[in-house]
Amino acid sequence: MTDTVSTATSTAAPTGAGNHRGLRVPRDPRVPVRAGSWALVLAVLVVLHLVAFRATDFRPEALATGAEGMWNFLAEAIPPDFSGEVVGVGVQGALTTLWIGLLGTTVSVPTALLLAVLGARTTSPNAFVYQLARGILSFFRAVPDIVFALIFVTAVGLGPFAGVLALICHNTGVMGKLWSEAMEDIDPGPEQALRTAGASRLQVVANATLPSVLPQLTGLLLYRFDVNVRSSLVLGLVGAGGIGLLINKSIKTFQFDEMLTYLIIILVVIVAVDLASAWIRKRLQ
């Protein structure tokens, strides 16, 4: 009896194994569709790049024909002018650029935080307020900071104050958008618990939303400070003060050795800001 069962089992096993080996995995019908979609996307990208190359007169060979002019420019800029007067003026301009970036970041915090709370789906009181806050953030974000600088230069005159105002406006839109998205991504558990306990909307935001998202908000704030220091350099080129104004002046007067000195000084400042921001972010993790 036992021998019969063993023989039957041993006979059936290869048959079952063979049946399993004979099964075929069905092909995914979506694979051809995905391949066709990727091919279409690639074709569209190629066409867009061809149009962009033609529209921007993208000609790499122009660099070769203009190489002599570039070498002449570098020959006049090297060595940089490290005289005491030029370095002193450059350091003062770099510090002004740093202060523009600092104030443009910190002064925009209250407005950006208010619009972020009103522009987040989880904290906005109703749909109308949400859309209004989002619209304001989109406007401030859509207008470049250099355009704001040109507007404020005509209003308050040349100088760093126009640059600070320009950065406040643009940074409010960018930082408010980033903060609102960070608020929407947090765990809703603490907020729901406070609402169940009868807390008001302001209490929920102050005691649940902001504490939960504070590390993200701080990290984004430091990131924006890095960006704003660089932006303040560009704003100086349109009269908003700082070392950018000195660079623009040295280029217009063909003092390229002074220009290179100013570039080296602002490079040192930006590297120092990067290192300080990275150190603070590491401590916040």
Side-chain angles (χ1 to χ4, degrees):
M1 181 68 179
T2 304
D3 296 339
T4 305
V5 174
S6 301
T7 304
T9 304
S10 61
T11 306
T15 305
N19 290 338
H20 285 297
R21 285 196 298 266
L23 293 178
R24 293 184 178 180
V25 178
R27 298 180 61 183
D28 189 350
R30 295 173 295 178
V31 171
V33 177
R34 291 174 182 172
S37 300
W38 281 110
L40 178 61
V41 170
L42 181 60
V44 171
L45 287 176
V46 170
V47 172
L48 290 177
H49 279 76
L50 292 176
V51 174
F53 285 145
R54 181 180 296 274
T56 58
D57 194 22
F58 187 87
R59 293 179 297 109
E61 65 274 10
L63 288 175
T65 57
E68 182 179 356
M70 294 176 62
W71 283 115
N72 292 336
F73 176 83
L74 292 175
E76 295 182 12
I78 299 173
D81 185 358
F82 285 126
S83 61
E85 182 180 358
V86 173
V87 172
V89 172
V91 170
Q92 184 178 0
L95 290 176
T96 302
T97 296
L98 181 63
W99 306 145
I100 293 173
L102 177 66
L103 292 179
T105 304
T106 57
V107 178
S108 63
V109 167
T111 308
L113 182 60
L114 175 62
L115 291 174
V117 172
L118 298 178
R121 296 183 185 275
T122 55
T123 56
S124 185
N126 53 63
F128 174 76
V129 174
Y130 169 80
Q131 294 296 339
L132 179 62
R134 283 283 175 163
I136 296 174
L137 291 174
S138 297
F139 170 75
F140 282 138
R141 194 172 65 256
V143 179
D145 47 13
I146 195 169
V147 175
F148 278 125
L150 291 171
I151 295 173
F152 286 120
V153 162
T154 61
V156 301
L158 298 174
F161 184 44
V164 173
L165 294 176
L167 285 182
I168 289 174
C169 292
H170 185 70
N171 192 66
T172 296
V174 176
M175 200 158 58
K177 174 70 159 47
L178 295 174
W179 282 0
S180 65
E181 292 179 348
M183 292 178 186
E184 291 177 347
D185 292 337
I186 63 173
D187 182 11
E191 295 178 335
Q192 294 175 355
L194 286 180
R195 291 193 188 99
T196 304
S200 64
R201 186 179 301 275
L202 182 59
Q203 290 174 327
V204 171
V205 172
N207 296 284
T209 305
L210 292 181
S212 299
V213 80
L214 186 59
Q216 292 91 328
L217 299 189
T218 306
L220 292 171
L221 179 64
L222 291 172
Y223 165 72
R224 287 303 305 170
F225 175 58
D226 289 346
V227 174
N228 288 333
V229 171
R230 293 170 174 81
S231 298
S232 60
L233 169 64
V234 179
L235 298 183
L237 299 177
V238 296
I243 199 170
L245 185 61
L246 298 176
I247 293 174
N248 189 28
K249 180 181 176 181
S250 61
I251 291 175
K252 289 182 177 180
T253 57
F254 301 100
Q255 301 296 326
F256 300 125
D257 53 348
E258 292 185 7
M259 177 209 68
L260 183 57
T261 303
Y262 298 145
L263 290 177
I264 294 173
I265 292 173
I266 195 61
L267 174 63
V268 172
V269 172
I270 289 177
V271 170
V273 170
D274 285 341
L275 293 176
S277 299
W279 183 85
I280 295 175
R281 283 194 296 266
K282 186 177 180 180
R283 294 299 182 274
L284 292 174
Q285 292 178 354

